Amino acid sequence: MKADILEKGAIVQRDGETYAIAPHIPGGFIDLARFSRLVDVAEKYNASAMKLTSGQRIAIVGIREEDLPAVWNDLEMSIGYAIGLCVRMVKFCPGTTWCRNGKQDAMGVGLKLDKLYHGYQLPAKFKIGVAGCEYSCAAPLTKEIGLRGTPEGWTVTAGGNGGAKPRLGDIVAEGLDDGQALEMAGRIVRFFEGCTWANKIRLGRVIDKIGLDEFKEQVKIGE
């Protein structure tokens, strides 16, 4: 069986021969021209299927290895980091941009986090979720960093994941404005980046190892 090709964002499929790719689509928001291009490229290279992913991407499934360079060239899109030890996704909802329930600007903050951290190399896979209200459509509690909008500001959680050993994130700060929430996210990313011993160990397990109080002390805001 062939292996995943990280530098091409290519994930080997069950047949052991073909690959799936997932171009980067921040927040899942895509204009019609780019959507049409995805469809055209999938047809041109005889893809098996297209799939809407949980990471707010549109994957093209069943690409031959020899076609990967041409596919990316035709798409003119960047890689969506669905594999590798890095920030694999920044998932966010429409927030106050479009949703009637939005309490905070999830789209604005999510786009900033995406620009800063999507693909950012870390000791283990890492996900960020930003939800504009308490309904939490972006599932922030199951992400390494979660932002949930309230009328009073952002509630920030850390250490969640929905993997083989699911864990809900711990609350580390409440009532933050946009700038403070972005700063807190940066502190958490930098903390985990410094955990060089945590090879393939998710952030939640690191928090469990050192204790929540110690973690909060190391990432506390305003200093």
Side-chain angles (χ1 to χ4, degrees), residues 14-67:
R14 190 175 181 86
D15 60 14
E17 293 293 329
T18 63
Y19 292 84
I21 62 168
H24 187 42
I25 305 173
F29 296 96
I30 186 170
D31 60 46
L32 294 179
R34 188 151 292 185
F35 180 80
S36 295
R37 184 181 297 170
L38 278 168
V39 175
D40 290 344
V41 170
E43 289 182 340
K44 179 178 178 180
Y45 293 97
N46 298 310
S48 302
M50 298 178 71
K51 182 185 184 300
L52 299 175
T53 76
S54 61
Q56 299 182 320
R57 304 180 179 106
I58 302 172
I60 302 176
V61 181
I63 300 295
R64 294 185 298 271
E65 182 176 0
E66 60 269 25
D67 288 334

Side-chain angles (χ1 to χ4, degrees), residues 73-207:
N73 182 69
D74 287 357
L75 285 172
E76 298 181 345
M77 297 174 71
S78 59
I79 291 170
Y81 288 92
I83 53 177
L85 305 183
C86 64
V87 178
R88 295 191 181 183
M89 72 165 71
V90 179
K91 188 172 185 177
F92 54 90
C93 71
T96 52
T97 304
W98 284 307
C99 182
R100 67 177 185 272
N101 296 313
K103 299 297 187 294
Q104 297 295 327
D105 184 11
M107 192 168 177
V109 171
L111 283 168
K112 289 177 181 177
L113 288 169
D114 183 271
K115 185 175 182 179
L116 287 168
Y117 301 118
H118 175 246
Y120 196 92
Q121 297 295 303
L122 289 170
K125 69 178 180 180
F126 197 99
K127 299 178 181 181
I128 300 174
V130 184
C133 77
E134 63 184 352
Y135 295 123
S136 297
C137 293
L141 276 173
T142 59
K143 307 292 189 292
E144 270 72 22
I145 296 174
L147 276 63
R148 187 180 78 239
T150 74
E152 292 74 35
W154 292 104
T155 295
V156 179
T157 56
N161 78 79
K165 296 180 178 179
R167 184 186 191 279
L168 294 179
D170 298 302
I171 294 176
V172 295
E174 297 179 274
L176 304 186
D177 63 26
D178 289 359
Q180 291 172 322
L182 289 165
E183 180 185 353
M184 176 60 81
R187 286 171 176 261
I188 295 170
V189 169
R190 290 191 294 276
F191 164 82
F192 192 52
E193 186 177 20
C195 296
T196 54
W197 55 271
N199 185 40
K200 297 184 180 181
I201 298 175
R202 303 290 290 268
L203 176 62
R205 290 175 60 192
V206 172
I207 294 173

